[in-house]
Amino acid sequence: MSTANHEPPGPTGSGVSRRTLLLGTAAGAGALALGAGSPANAAPSATFVKGADISWMPQMEANGYYWNNKSGQRQDLFTILKSYGIGAISLRTWVNPSSDPANGHCSIQETAKMAARCRDAGLQVLLGFHFGDTWNSVGVQNPPKAWANMTYSQMLTALRTYVSNSLNVIKAAGVKPGWVKIGNEQNTGICHPVGSVSKPAQMTGLLNAAYDASKQIFPTTPVLIHLAQPQKMDSIRAFMNAYRGNGGKWDITGLSSYAGGSNVAPILGNMQTIQSTYGKPIMQVEFGGPVSKATATRDALRQFVSGIKSFGGLGTFYWEPEGYSPFTSYDMTAWSSSTRRPTAALDGFL
C-alpha cells in the first residue's frame, strides 16, 4: 500500500488479488466516435460517462438479494442507478469460470444476457475481458487453465478466437458495446508468463490480436487497455512504453483509482500526465471507497468527476456499488447491508 498516495487495500491498492478479498458468502452515449477507424482520430463524446460495474447483480438476485432506493422503497437496481445519472454499466467476463456466486459466473453467455438487460434499461455497456477464469488484477495475471501450457503462437490463436467468439455472442444478443476493455489492471501484462510485460513483443502481440478481433466485430467501438495505481507512475510508464514501443493499439487508457482525501489531487495530476504523454483520452474504470466512510467517498468521487472532466477525460465508473454483506465481504461498495439503501457515496455522481 502506498503511503504517499493512499489507495485502500483491494483491487488496486496493495496488489492483493480480488480472489483473496472477495470471499463472499451467498447464503441465503454512444461512447466515443472514431474517425475513419483510426485510434488517432478518436474524439471524446460530449457527455461525460458516469458508470458502475454491477457484474454481481444476477447472482445477488439468484440468491434472494434486492435493493431499496434512497427512500427505502424496493426498486429495480437499474432505475436506482439511473437516478444518480449513471448511464453505463461495466461487465466483466471470464473464460471458464466456476459456479461460485461472488468469484465465479460471468461467462460470456451469462454476460451477454446481462448486457441485453442493460441495453433494455437504456444503459451503455463496457465489456471487460480479464483473460482468465477468475479475477485478474494488478497483482495477479493468470491465464485461463485451458491456455496455461500454450506456446505464444498457440495462445495468440486461442485469444484471438476467444475474443472474436465472445463478441459474436454479444452481437447475437443484440448488444453493441459502448466500449471493449482488453485486460484488467494489466500493469505487468496478461496471461503470465507468456504475455508478461517482461516479454513486451509477446504481450503486445496478444493485446493487438484482441484489439483487431474487437474491431472486426464492432469497428466503431473504442477499445481500452486498463492500468491500476496511477500513483505509481514507474509501473504505468513501464507498461505504456513497452506497449507503445512495440506497436500496441488502443483507443482509451482505462485507469483504476480508489484514492480519497488529499490523495485525489496528485492522482488527478498523474491521470492528466498519462493522457497527455500517451495521446489517448483516459477513463477511470474503477473507483470506490470504504462503505463505512460514505461521505468521504462521496467527496472523493466528486473530485474525480470534476477533475477528470476538466482535462477532457471521458468518465468515471464505480466498482460494484450494489454489493452488500453477506453476499460479499468486499467493503468498498455503496449500499447499506442493514437498510438495503444506497449510501451517500453515490451522491458524488449528482
Side-chain angles (χ1 to χ4, degrees), residues 5-337:
N5 281 303
H6 171 66
E7 297 270 79
T12 59
S14 60
V16 179
S17 75
R18 286 201 182 94
R19 182 198 307 250
T20 301
L21 289 164
L22 301 177
L23 300 177
T25 61
L32 192 77
L34 294 184
S38 169
N41 294 332
S45 160
T47 303
F48 185 87
V49 179
K50 299 174 183 178
D53 188 313
I54 56 169
S55 298
W56 276 328
M57 180 183 178
Q59 286 309 305
M60 290 186 72
E61 291 172 328
N63 285 278
Y65 292 83
Y66 62 90
W67 298 269
N68 293 331
N69 62 21
K70 191 182 291 189
S71 301
Q73 299 170 318
R74 184 168 176 173
Q75 194 171 30
D76 173 68
L77 179 59
F78 294 128
T79 302
I80 299 172
L81 295 175
K82 288 168 72 174
S83 74
Y84 287 93
I86 288 172
I89 300 299
S90 175
L91 300 173
R92 61 182 167 270
T93 193
W94 292 324
V95 181
N96 292 304
S98 75
S99 59
D100 181 275
N103 303 302
H105 289 277
C106 298
S107 68
I108 193 59
Q109 292 78 15
E110 291 172 308
T111 301
K113 290 179 182 177
M114 182 62 174
R117 291 180 64 185
C118 295
R119 175 207 61 209
D120 292 346
L123 294 158
Q124 287 271 23
V125 172
L126 188 162
L127 178 68
F129 289 104
H130 275 236
F131 300 126
D133 294 333
T134 187
W135 310 105
N136 274 324
S137 61
V138 66
V140 178
Q141 291 292 331
N142 293 322
K145 185 178 179 181
W147 303 359
N149 297 315
M150 288 183 176
T151 64
Y152 168 63
S153 177
Q154 291 169 331
M155 190 176 288
L156 192 67
T157 299
L159 186 144
R160 183 186 294 113
T161 301
Y162 165 66
V163 172
S164 180
N165 289 347
S166 295
L167 292 178
N168 274 320
V169 171
I170 296 293
K171 188 174 184 179
V175 177
K176 180 183 178 183
W179 311 265
V180 171
K181 184 165 69 72
I182 51 171
N184 194 77
E185 298 186 339
Q186 63 218 70
N187 302 48
T188 60
I190 62 169
C191 296
H192 288 184
V194 174
S196 169
V197 72
S198 63
K199 300 178 180 179
Q202 293 186 179
M203 175 189 79
T204 303
L206 291 171
L207 289 169
N208 278 351
Y211 181 95
D212 291 342
S214 179
K215 292 296 183 178
Q216 286 173 359
I217 310 300
F218 296 112
T220 61
T221 294
V223 175
L224 291 81
I225 53 174
H226 176 193
L227 303 175
Q229 297 177 329
Q231 75 273 26
K232 297 181 178 179
M233 288 295 282
D234 288 347
S235 169
I236 300 288
R237 291 189 184 100
F239 174 91
M240 296 296 282
N241 291 341
Y243 191 54
R244 185 172 67 175
N246 282 273
K249 303 174 187 178
W250 81 105
D251 304 322
I252 298 170
T253 304
L255 297 168
S256 297
S257 182
Y258 292 74
S262 62
N263 297 308
V264 176
I267 286 177
L268 282 167
N270 288 353
M271 287 178 167
Q272 185 172 8
T273 296
I274 293 164
Q275 179 166 294
S276 61
T277 301
Y278 297 99
K280 307 291 184 183
I282 72 101
M283 178 180 281
Q284 185 180 14
V285 294
E286 290 188 23
F287 167 82
V291 71
S292 61
K293 298 180 179 178
T295 302
T297 301
R298 175 201 65 195
D299 295 345
L301 179 56
R302 284 176 177 164
Q303 270 189 280
F304 273 118
V305 169
S306 62
I308 292 169
K309 274 184 180 178
S310 73
F311 60 77
L314 301 181
T316 293
F317 283 74
Y318 204 111
W319 197 83
E320 295 280 14
E322 87 291 5
Y324 61 85
S325 176
F327 180 82
T328 177
S329 59
Y330 180 68
D331 68 352
M332 288 194 284
T333 68
W335 236 268
S336 166
S337 60

